[in-house]
Amino acid sequence: MNRPDLSYAAYARDRLAGMPPPADPEAFALGYHLLHLSYLVVADLEGRIHRPRGWTLPGFRLMFKLWLLGPTQPARLAEISAMSRSAVTNAVNTLERDALVERRPLPDDRRAVVVALTAAGEAAVREAFAEQTRREQQWFAPLDAEERATLTDLLTRVLAARPEDAV
């Protein structure tokens, strides 16, 4: 199947190969394909699964984290989601408006709150998770189990070694 986006990437890599440093055709190709895949997967998951439910992918990700972790402070959600605190607050406000999450005071510190899924939120995240899992399986079907594990390990290594000033 002819994929113009992949043809362009090959063309750009070839053009960069003929340029002096700092041109780096290998880094370009890796970054281009990783970003392109990320954009396509996010757009696909949002368009097929989350937007029809009135959510964004970040909103789903927060609900998923709450499903796994249980009630969690907003600052912790921001930290593990690579989101700003204000982005988490905005997402929580939207999810709370839709009765999917609720804020609860911490027993030890009445000024602090945790965010928790409501019963409706838990049912919704379970349903969306099942659908998202099926779609992710389709996206990664060209890779066998060992290749998926290797790719996951490589991406984890890059994420762990990211520049200190990166988000």
Side-chain angles (χ1 to χ4, degrees):
M1 179 183 314
N2 181 24
R3 301 277 190 181
D5 52 340
L6 297 180
S7 297
Y8 164 77
Y11 168 80
R13 185 177 179 278
D14 289 346
R15 289 289 310 269
L16 290 171
M19 294 180 180
D24 184 341
E26 300 306 321
F28 164 79
L30 180 58
Y32 178 87
H33 290 302
L34 184 61
L35 286 171
H36 195 58
L37 176 62
S38 296
Y39 293 144
L40 290 173
V41 171
V42 166
D44 184 59
L45 295 176
E46 279 200 330
R48 289 177 177 273
I49 299 163
H50 305 301
R51 289 278 181 212
R53 290 175 167 82
W55 309 341
T56 61
L57 183 57
F60 168 76
R61 289 175 49 225
L62 289 180
M63 290 194 304
F64 181 78
K65 286 172 177 61
L66 292 170
W67 182 43
L68 296 181
L69 297 171
T72 306
Q73 289 187 291
R76 177 73 176 138
L77 288 171
E79 181 181 69
I80 62 176
S81 300
M83 294 171 68
S84 70
R85 287 183 182 199
S86 63
V88 168
T89 298
N90 289 338
V92 168
N93 287 343
T94 300
L95 296 169
E96 188 175 42
R97 180 197 69 214
D98 295 339
L100 298 169
V101 302
E102 61 188 6
R103 288 178 171 93
R104 299 178 186 162
L106 275 175
D108 300 341
D109 182 355
R110 290 285 181 191
R111 294 169 295 151
V113 298
V114 292
V115 180
L117 286 173
T118 62
E122 183 172 341
V125 77
R126 283 178 186 271
E127 180 184 310
F129 171 70
E131 194 174 335
Q132 181 166 316
T133 297
R134 286 188 291 275
R135 192 61 178 172
E136 289 168 340
Q137 289 168 339
Q138 291 174 330
W139 271 99
F140 300 111
L143 305 176
D144 65 30
E146 185 177 331
E147 290 169 325
R148 288 191 303 271
T150 298
L151 181 57
T152 299
D153 289 343
L154 292 170
L155 292 172
T156 300
R157 200 163 84 202
V158 171
L159 286 166
R162 68 183 173 262
E164 287 297 320
D165 59 348
V167 175

